[in-house]
Amino acid sequence: MVCAGDVLSKGIFPSVRWPTQHIAPIVPVVFAAGNHEFYHSSIHECLRQVREASAHPNLHFLENDVVKIGDVAFVGGTLWSDFRLFGRDPQVAMSYARSGMNDYKRIKLSKTPFLKFKPIDAFRKHIETRDFIACELRKRRGQKSVVVTHHAPSHVRLPAGFVTIRLRLATPRIWKTSFVRQGPPCGCTATFIIETITSLAQQG
């Protein structure tokens, strides 16, 4: 089972508990956190704790990670925004996001030391995940790979009036994501099928 996040909004543990208890004993579970998993919590501590506590051999948590199940490699992470949709000035987009998005009011980057989560942190995390995915796909060129991210890699096939991060080219043939408003409910996955596999690059 692939779960691409936004299951609950009280930290990662409640979101992974149910699939760990009920699905992982039967089939492997691949889980990438959504932004809501970090609400009322902190990113650094949540990621550290979930890695330390993910003891079930069939629960695979991805945050710049890869796991191979059979002959298929699952690569991914949350994939935050780079604020460059359609080449717009990311500084302007980040300014609007900081004052208008709940992520930057409800998420902490760290509890100790206390650090607020800011758009620049999301931008840096986007770059980390984008580069990790690109590197892993290059290493696995010609092999079976599925990318799992919470945020979508492209505006293509998203509902009219709503767009997310745009990547210029490269993806694997299958990319699982859950952040699609007015489409599948949060916690479910949408599938992007991209026929041309080249190199991963940001728009801008």
Side-chain angles (χ1 to χ4, degrees), residues 32-87:
N35 52 318
H36 287 193
E37 259 76 44
F38 300 104
Y39 275 24
H40 313 296
S41 191
S42 70
I43 293 176
H44 287 175
E45 281 79 6
C46 272
L47 292 177
R48 183 172 63 248
Q49 291 166 7
V50 76
R51 292 186 190 283
E52 292 172 352
S54 297
H56 199 290
N58 255 5
L59 190 283
H60 308 285
F61 180 80
L62 301 183
E63 177 57 22
N64 303 340
D65 293 290
V66 58
V67 60
K68 196 162 187 180
I69 301 175
D71 63 346
V72 179
F74 292 82
V75 185
T78 300
L79 189 66
W80 298 86
S81 179
D82 68 353
F83 303 96
R84 291 183 182 273
L85 186 65
F86 303 128

Side-chain angles (χ1 to χ4, degrees), residues 79-128:
L79 189 66
W80 298 86
S81 179
D82 68 353
F83 303 96
R84 291 183 182 273
L85 186 65
F86 303 128
R88 293 173 182 162
D89 184 348
Q91 295 295 332
V92 174
M94 282 191 275
S95 178
Y96 279 108
R98 185 169 186 173
S99 61
M101 287 186 66
N102 285 332
D103 287 11
Y104 307 108
K105 301 172 185 177
R106 300 182 182 180
I107 301 174
K108 293 182 285 291
L109 181 64
S110 172
K111 288 182 179 178
T112 307
F114 176 80
L115 296 170
K116 291 182 177 181
F117 183 56
K118 301 175 182 178
I120 189 62
D121 299 314
F123 175 86
R124 290 167 178 160
K125 285 190 166 295
H126 171 91
I127 299 301
E128 290 174 4

Side-chain angles (χ1 to χ4, degrees), residues 1 19 22-29 56 58-59:
M1 182 184 84
H22 299 280
I23 305 298
I26 305 169
V27 296
V29 176
H56 199 290
N58 255 5
L59 190 283

Side-chain angles (χ1 to χ4, degrees), residues 173-192:
R173 189 172 185 276
I174 298 178
W175 192 306
K176 290 284 188 179
T177 177
S178 74
F179 193 73
V180 183
R181 298 294 190 226
Q182 302 174 11
C186 293
C188 297
T189 58
T191 303
F192 288 75

